[in-house]
Each structure stands twice: as C-alpha cells, then as structure tokens.
Amino acid sequence: MMSVGEVSREEGDASTQTYAWAPTPPPKRKRHLGLWIGAPAGVALAGVIAASLVLIAPGTAVAGVQVGGMTPGAAAAAIQAQLDRTAIELTGDGVDATLTGAQLGATVDARALADAAYSDHPMWKIGAWFSDTAHAQVTLDHDTAEAALRKAAPALFEDAKDATVTFDDKSEKYVVGEAENGAGVDLDTIATGLQDGFAAGKAAVPVAATQVPTDPAISTDTANKTAKQLNTLLDKVGFYVGDERTVPVDRAVAASWLIVSPRDGSFDITADASAIDKVVATLAKKVDRAPQNGTAITNTAGTVLRTDQQTLDGRKLGDTTGIAAAFASQLAAGDSVYKLKVDVDKATTTKISRYAVVDLSEQRAYFYQNGKLWNSYLVSTGAAGHATPTGHFTVFAHVPLQDMGCVPGYDYCTKNVPWVTYFAPDIGFHGTYWHHNFGHVMSHGCVNMPISTAKTIYDWAPEGMEVTVQP
C-alpha cells in the first residue's frame, strides 16, 4: 500500500503544495515460541511409544539375566552370554578346576526365551512390568563337556573297554571278549550346578565332582549276539545246488573272508570278494558231473525198500562272473548259503521188485525179481517138533552173526550162526556150518542154507521184502 504525502515544488508558485503515494510500513511479526518448544517433545513422545512396542518390559528377568528394556534379539544374546560366563568350580579329592558354560558347551534356547519374555511382558503393557523370573533349562553338549572335564580333571576318568568278537582257530568258532565299565564325571550333576548358578545370577558356583561308572560303547550282550550270528553263518557256509551243500567251505577259510568291525555301538560284518573269488575259480571241478542212473529195490506193490545205486542227475556249472561279489553281499547280510545255477542232465532210476517163496514139500527156496525167477536153492527147514511156520511174512532184520538157542527155554544151542535174514519171529534164512544135508528137513524152524548162499540172500533181500512159506 501507498500513503499520501506532501511535496513542495519550487517551480511556479512556492506556496503551492502537491501530494504523491508512499510505501506502507511493514506489519509487526507474531512470535510462535510454543511451536518450537512442543515439536521436540512430540518427537520424543513418539519415540517412547514406538520403543514400547518392540522392547521388553522393565523388571523382566530370564534365569539370572535382566532383559527389561531390551529387544528380543538383544535379550537372546545377553542370556547366552551370561550362561557362557557362568562358571562351576569343581571340588573333590585331587580336583581343582574352574570351567565356564562356554567351555562345557552349555546352551539354552535363548531366542525362544527372549521371544516369550517379550510376548508375555512387552513394555507397553504396564501390568506386565516387574514380573517373576522365567526358568531357562540348561543343556550340556555331551562330547564338549566330557572333553573339557577330561582335560581339567583327568584323574576322574577311566576309559571303558568294549566287548570284542574274534575267530578262535583252535575251536573254529567266533568267541567274545567281555566288555568292562569305565569311570567318568556325572554330567547331570555338572548341568544341575551350572543351572543353579545361572538361575541365581552367580559368576561361579562350587560343584562336587561325582565319579560314576560309564558304559562301554559295545556291550557283551551285543558281542554275544554277533558271535552267534557269525557261528551260524559258518555252520552252513558253502555253495549249494538245490538243497545239497555241494561245495562246503572250511570254517577257517570262511572266517578269513569275513571282516568284523566295531561301529556305532555294534559290529559291521563285511566280506572280501577277492578272497571268495579264489574258491569260485575251483567250483567247476567240484560241481560238474555226468548223470548217474540209479537202481531201487521195491516190494511187489512198488514201494521202495532200498536204493542199491543212487540216482544222480548230471550238472554243469554256468557262468561264474559276479558270484564272489554276490556271495560277499549275502554274507554281510547274514546268509551263507549260496545257490549255484547249473544246467541239469536228468538221470533215470530203475526199480526192481523182489520177493521169495519157500516150498516146504520141495525143500527149496525160490527168489523172484520183477516177477521172474532169479534163483533157487535147496534148503533145510524145520524138522519134526520144530516145523517152519507157513504164511506170508516180510523181512524185518539182518544179523551178521549170532548164537541161536543157548538160553533157558531152548533145547538147543548153536554158536556163531552167520548171515541171518529174519522174516518171522525166531525164523529166518541163515548160513549152516554143522551139516550139508540140504534138501531135507534138519532145522529148529529156520531155513538152513550153505554159508555162501546165506550171505547172497542176506545182501539181496532188503527189509520189507515179502516171503511166502507154503506147504
């Protein structure tokens, strides 16, 4: 704005006055002192509010650690740091050592404890301030703690002795060396002492070093079970064709294949395939064979009474590649029966039926094979008063030499009667050395024969063969 002012003009009439516009004076400024004072206070208040949303309430403690006013992350670090510093002072005969929680591998779940402290006691929650101390469970790392204690107090430790399993050459069996307990420090006592000191917020606490027995890694019971398993392997070890143990393996040889190693409280069993391969190289000579036809003796119904010639199929061993490695795997798994693959050439069995007829009227014995007369011989059967019984009988016993009679109740005694083939009670074919009157009744009921003939029938007639005695 402009204002009206006076201006004198010298030109013209000096008394004449003129007027012009002039600038308006600036207005007076207002002072805002309250705003400058209030802004910092507002910022501070906002900071307090924000902090209350992320900090743990004052007076909050975890074990012996005050965590009020800390973030959960800072609280977790403080909890573990305090545990690391907390120490135990070992006491006892000849023991003088101090170990910290850090040296003992002590830990707590610090992060979970800190998060729980914040969750239950946030700073913004006034009613949660100055709460009871939270419990923190201390855990020791077994290996770290034992190593530290062994170094600090070696006199308290004695190593346990593991059970062993070894092959004994004399007995050809696996035998067990028994386990022995050792000694060490009771880690539960150490953990409890450290726990108490940590909870109380103490820098160090005395703990009596308590010695306790320690178990071996491998017990005698475990070794016994392993030895039994191995000896069972040796009982059956071999190369089989079907159910036949065609190539048995010597127990000591098989034991030389096996490697028994302690591991994780037990034993690992492995086998050396290269050692097995040396035996595999010899298998063909022991397995391969030509077929062998057999002979079986039957009764007239076809029931096999005796095998005179065993029937054996021919066989030829197939490709042996991979047998050693496969058998090594089987042995490690506890199976010592290796089934070989062979090509089979079938053999045949010839069946021969046999039976005998003794004709009392002819004093002759007839022997038949497959329904045809095989041979006949003059004999001497029972004389008067000792008649040979008639009927159908079966051979039930063979006695190479015996006395006949010679006991109370018999009216005769004949010593050393050879080649007796019994087919009825007290009645049989047998050799006769006391007479040669064959073709006539002479005996006490048996069928007398020349000694050589009796031996032939002894060998020819199996148990179960039918014998008919006819008038």
Side-chain angles (χ1 to χ4, degrees), residues 91-450:
T91 62
D93 293 340
V95 178
D96 182 15
T98 300
L99 294 169
T100 65
Q103 291 173 310
L104 293 167
T107 57
V108 290
D109 194 346
R111 185 70 213 200
L113 291 166
D115 288 344
Y118 172 72
S119 176
D120 296 339
H121 311 287
M123 181 177 282
W124 58 264
K125 191 176 181 180
I126 304 300
W129 290 21
F130 300 100
S131 60
D132 293 337
T133 300
H135 175 72
Q137 181 62 46
V138 174
T139 302
L140 298 185
D141 179 80
H142 181 279
D143 292 342
T144 302
E146 182 170 301
L149 289 163
R150 277 179 177 271
K151 185 176 181 180
L156 296 176
F157 288 86
E158 181 180 347
D159 290 336
K161 181 180 178 182
D162 289 344
T164 59
V165 176
T166 55
F167 183 75
D168 177 56
D169 291 327
K170 185 175 181 180
S171 64
E172 293 194 327
K173 290 183 177 181
Y174 281 92
V175 295
V176 171
E178 294 193 353
E180 296 179 7
N181 287 335
V185 174
D186 184 4
L187 292 184
D188 289 340
T189 300
I190 301 298
T192 299
L194 187 64
Q195 175 86 57
D196 294 343
F198 177 54
K202 295 181 179 180
V205 290
V207 175
T210 305
Q211 192 178 48
V212 293
T214 59
D215 294 329
I218 301 176
S219 68
T220 300
D221 183 58
T222 296
N224 281 330
K225 290 177 180 177
T226 301
K228 182 178 179 180
Q229 176 189 354
L230 289 165
N231 287 325
T232 299
L233 284 179
L234 298 186
D235 290 341
K236 300 179 180 180
V237 65
F239 297 90
Y240 288 67
V241 175
D243 295 329
E244 176 192 87
R245 192 182 183 188
T246 308
V247 184
V249 177
D250 181 79
R251 295 174 71 90
V253 171
S256 73
W257 297 348
L258 299 174
I259 303 163
V260 183
S261 308
R263 182 177 179 184
D264 297 334
S266 187
F267 293 94
D268 271 351
I269 300 172
T270 56
D272 182 356
S274 63
I276 297 172
D277 205 35
K278 295 176 182 177
V279 175
V280 172
T282 70
L283 290 179
K285 291 182 179 179
K286 300 173 181 177
V287 172
D288 294 354
R289 72 181 179 203
Q292 174 181 292
N293 295 328
T295 303
I297 309 304
T298 73
N299 60 15
T300 57
T303 302
V304 174
L305 305 178
R306 186 179 73 201
T307 298
D308 278 1
Q309 177 67 52
Q310 185 180 10
T311 302
L312 297 173
D313 291 336
R315 62 194 180 200
K316 186 174 181 60
L317 182 64
D319 185 10
T320 60
T321 302
I323 287 180
F327 200 11
S329 296
Q330 275 192 209
L331 290 167
D335 181 3
S336 61
V337 175
Y338 191 86
K339 296 292 185 79
L340 295 169
K341 294 180 180 179
V342 297
D343 296 324
V344 177
D345 186 0
K346 296 293 290 184
T348 60
T349 301
T350 300
K351 291 185 177 181
I352 301 172
S353 67
R354 289 177 180 172
Y355 67 95
V357 175
V358 177
D359 192 306
L360 299 180
S361 63
E362 296 181 6
Q363 288 295 288
R364 181 174 287 275
Y366 297 87
F367 297 90
Y368 295 86
Q369 190 162 273
N370 291 336
K372 296 180 179 181
L373 181 65
W374 172 73
N375 214 332
S376 70
Y377 305 94
L378 286 174
V379 296
S380 293
T381 60
H386 297 281
T388 302
T390 59
H392 300 286
F393 309 96
T394 57
V395 173
F396 64 87
H398 292 77
V399 180
L401 189 71
Q402 75 169 96
D403 295 343
M404 289 190 171
C406 306
V407 293
Y410 287 84
D411 59 358
Y412 66 94
C413 177
T414 305
K415 297 283 189 177
N416 301 320
V417 179
W419 311 122
V420 185
T421 302
Y422 280 106
F423 59 83
D426 287 334
I427 304 295
F429 303 105
H430 64 71
T432 307
Y433 59 82
W434 54 91
H435 78 84
H436 299 283
N437 195 23
F438 302 107
H440 302 276
V441 293
M442 293 288 295
S443 78
H444 291 89
C446 286
V447 180
N448 290 180
M449 293 177 157

